[in-house]
């Protein structure tokens, strides 16, 4: 199989696997006071320190969660109790639905046709009632990078009381996130197992518990501590950030080839000529049947995604593309690359894509 869906989930990395296995060998509940508990606690605190050091924050600012979804919900729920939440039109459902659930008042910041937050609109939405502005660092479908530093400067000027949060799940391995932001990260996008992530939030960031329990993490996040998960997350994150520049250059070159293959097959890249993550290529194929296109690629052994929510195998138009004003008649395809992606994988895609697009065009005409 040619795996080009790393943004959905990355294969377990050897480094994360080793860290996970070593940590699981330590028996003990990290909240217990006996020696075994203390041993487990020490593995967890080492992981927390490692995550903090990679991200340039203090260890108590790292709250280990069950993943990006929980981190996003925690980040939104606290500020939501204090005022209006603004979030961009291209946020992951974890941010959007958390705002809808927890914020008595919330509003959507539009994006331009380029796929970037509309700064003029944002400026007009900022006032003294805003308690949170949440904009993702880079979009999980298009890979388009958002102007976090400019957003922070604008918010500081127009709504200094507001907190800033960014969903950095897709971007933390590629970008430096400005220090003003609380940030969500997820292990399985980095090579750690599914089921661990973190919210990085300053000590004075307003947090409220989402679930009742022992309050093991900063008295707001309950549940027996996931020591091995935290160890794997720390190892995966450290490796991803350490290898950043080398990996980015290689993936950027492969991404250019993927984008060219899409264009040759009749597609066009979504969004404008704006900065993008190296590892995500997102293209639109007009007059094609979405299911036939995915099926054609799947039959050729290529795993990729439409970049939008697929439930029960049924293709649904993407809210992200809708927000960008993209014509719904085109099929979006997201190819996302990672550490293990090779030139040979891209060769295989180049060979398979024209026939898959052709089949999907015929399916529309049939
Ligand atoms: N945020 C973004 C941008 C994502 O791409 C994802 C995963 O698809 C999530 C949040 C959710 O992360 P998790 O699967 O760890 O809950």
């Amino acid at each position: 199989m040619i795996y080009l869906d790393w943004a959905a989930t990355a294969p377990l990395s050897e480094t994360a696997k080793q860290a996970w296995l070593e940590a699981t060998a330590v028996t003990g509940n990290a909240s217990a006071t006996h020696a075994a508990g203390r041993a487990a606690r020490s593995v967890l605190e080492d992981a927390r320190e490692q995550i903090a050091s990679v991200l340039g924050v203090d260890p108590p600012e790292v709250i280990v969660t069950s993943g990006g979804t929980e981190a996003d919900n925690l980040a939104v729920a606290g500020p939501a109790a204090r005022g209006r939440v603004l979030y961009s039109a291209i946020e992951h459902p974890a941010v959007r639905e958390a705002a809808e659930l927890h914020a008595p008042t919330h509003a959507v910041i539009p994006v331009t046709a380029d796929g970037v937050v509309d700064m003029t609109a944002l400026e007009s939405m900022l006032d003294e009632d805003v308690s949170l502005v949440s904009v993702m660092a880079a979009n999980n479908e298009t890979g388009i990078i958002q102007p976090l530093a400019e957003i922070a400067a604008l918010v500081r000027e127009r709504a200094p009381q507001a907190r800033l949060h960014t969903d950095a799940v897709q971007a933390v391995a590629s970008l430096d996130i400005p220090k003003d932001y609380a940030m969500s990260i997820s292990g399985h996008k980095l090579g750690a197992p599914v089921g661990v992530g973190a919210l990085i939030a300053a000590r004075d960031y307003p947090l409220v518990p989402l679930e009742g329990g022992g309050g093991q993490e900063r008295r707001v996040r309950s549940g027996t501590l996931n020591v091995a998960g935290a160890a794997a997350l720390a190892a995966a994150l450290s490796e991803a950030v350490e290898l950043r520049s080398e990996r980015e250059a290689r993936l950027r070159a492969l991404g250019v080839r993927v984008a060219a293959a899409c264009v040759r097959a009749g597609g066009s890249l979504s969004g404008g000529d704006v900065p993008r993550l190296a590892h995500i290529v997102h293209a639109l194929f007009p007059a094609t049947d979405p299911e036939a296109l995915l099926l054609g690629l799947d039959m050729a052994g290529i795993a990729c995604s439409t970049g939008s929510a697929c439930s029960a195998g049924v293709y649904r138009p993407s809210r992200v593309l809708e927000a960008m004003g993209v014509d719904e008649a085109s099929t979006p395809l997201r190819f996302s690359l990672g550490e293990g992606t090779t030139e040979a994988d891209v060769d295989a895609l180049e060979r398979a894509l024209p026939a898959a697009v052709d089949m999907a065009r015929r399916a529309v005409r049939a």
Side-chain angles (χ1 to χ4, degrees):
M1 188 191 32
I2 313 292
Y3 190 71
L4 299 175
D5 205 11
W6 289 65
T9 201
L12 190 63
S13 78
E14 205 42 51
T15 313
K17 188 167 148 188
Q18 281 315 317
W20 191 84
L21 285 173
E22 273 171 37
T24 50
V26 180
T27 306
N29 183 320
S31 300
T33 50
H34 48 61
R38 292 198 305 276
R41 168 64 69 173
S42 140
V43 174
L44 177 84
E45 294 310 328
D46 285 351
R48 195 191 308 281
E49 269 176 37
Q50 196 179 350
I51 295 167
S53 131
V54 171
L55 298 177
V57 299
D58 287 339
E61 296 179 89
V62 178
I63 302 166
V64 178
T65 65
S66 61
T69 299
E70 189 188 3
D72 282 345
N73 274 266
L74 262 181
V76 171
R82 300 175 171 210
R84 190 160 69 252
V85 171
L86 305 183
Y87 58 96
S88 86
I90 55 170
E91 291 309 304
H92 189 273
V95 166
R96 184 182 72 242
E97 292 193 13
E100 288 168 0
L101 264 178
H102 299 288
T105 63
H106 52 88
V108 178
I109 315 161
V111 296
T112 64
D114 282 351
V116 180
V117 159
D118 182 336
M119 297 297 284
T120 314
L122 172 60
E123 186 169 6
S124 70
M125 296 168 85
L126 292 169
D127 60 29
E128 65 279 5
D129 295 333
V130 175
S131 59
L132 177 70
V133 176
S134 181
V135 176
M136 68 203 324
N139 184 259
N140 48 308
E141 292 181 28
T142 62
I144 293 174
I145 296 172
Q146 301 302 312
L148 291 190
E150 280 169 72
I151 292 170
L154 188 61
V155 173
R156 290 282 157 265
E157 190 193 314
R158 306 289 288 231
Q161 77 292 346
R163 295 292 176 153
L164 289 160
H165 164 252
T166 190
D167 176 332
V169 164
Q170 296 291 345
V172 68
S174 311
L175 304 174
D176 286 326
I177 306 298
K179 290 282 175 288
D180 322 55
Y181 286 82
M183 105 169 83
S184 306
I185 63 173
S186 167
H188 72 106
K189 312 288 182 174
L190 298 166
V194 174
V196 66
L199 173 65
I200 314 300
R203 287 182 182 79
D204 64 352
Y205 191 92
L207 295 169
V208 293
L210 298 171
E211 289 174 321
Q216 284 89 338
E217 285 283 275
R218 221 155 106 181
R219 289 194 292 278
V220 292
R221 200 276 165 178
S222 294
T224 300
L225 296 160
N226 182 359
V227 174
L233 172 63
L237 177 69
S238 303
E239 183 174 60
V241 172
E242 202 177 299
L243 299 178
R244 178 184 288 178
S245 49
E246 181 191 313
R247 191 200 54 225
E248 293 287 297
R250 202 177 69 79
L251 296 188
R252 184 77 63 194
L254 289 175
V256 167
R257 284 189 59 202
V258 172
C262 290
V263 172
R264 275 200 305 278
S268 62
L269 294 191
S270 59
D273 185 13
V274 288
R276 289 159 193 270
L277 294 177
H279 67 282
I280 297 183
V281 176
H282 188 265
L284 300 163
F285 293 87
T288 49
D289 180 81
E291 273 139 30
L293 190 46
L294 275 183
L295 185 69
L297 288 169
D298 191 30
M299 275 163 34
I302 291 170
C304 64
S305 82
T306 61
S308 72
C310 267
S311 76
V314 179
Y315 170 74
R316 301 241 171 87
S318 142
R319 282 178 185 255
V320 171
L321 295 179
E322 199 185 312
M324 291 163 64
V326 169
D327 169 18
E328 268 187 27
S330 294
T331 302
L333 279 187
R334 178 186 71 181
F335 299 101
S336 52
L337 324 178
E339 204 46 40
T341 310
T342 62
E343 299 280 350
D345 292 340
V346 181
D347 294 344
L349 175 68
E350 283 173 344
R351 284 193 299 272
L353 193 56
V357 171
D358 195 43
M359 184 172 107
R361 283 210 186 105
R362 279 188 275 115
V364 166
R365 288 197 292 267

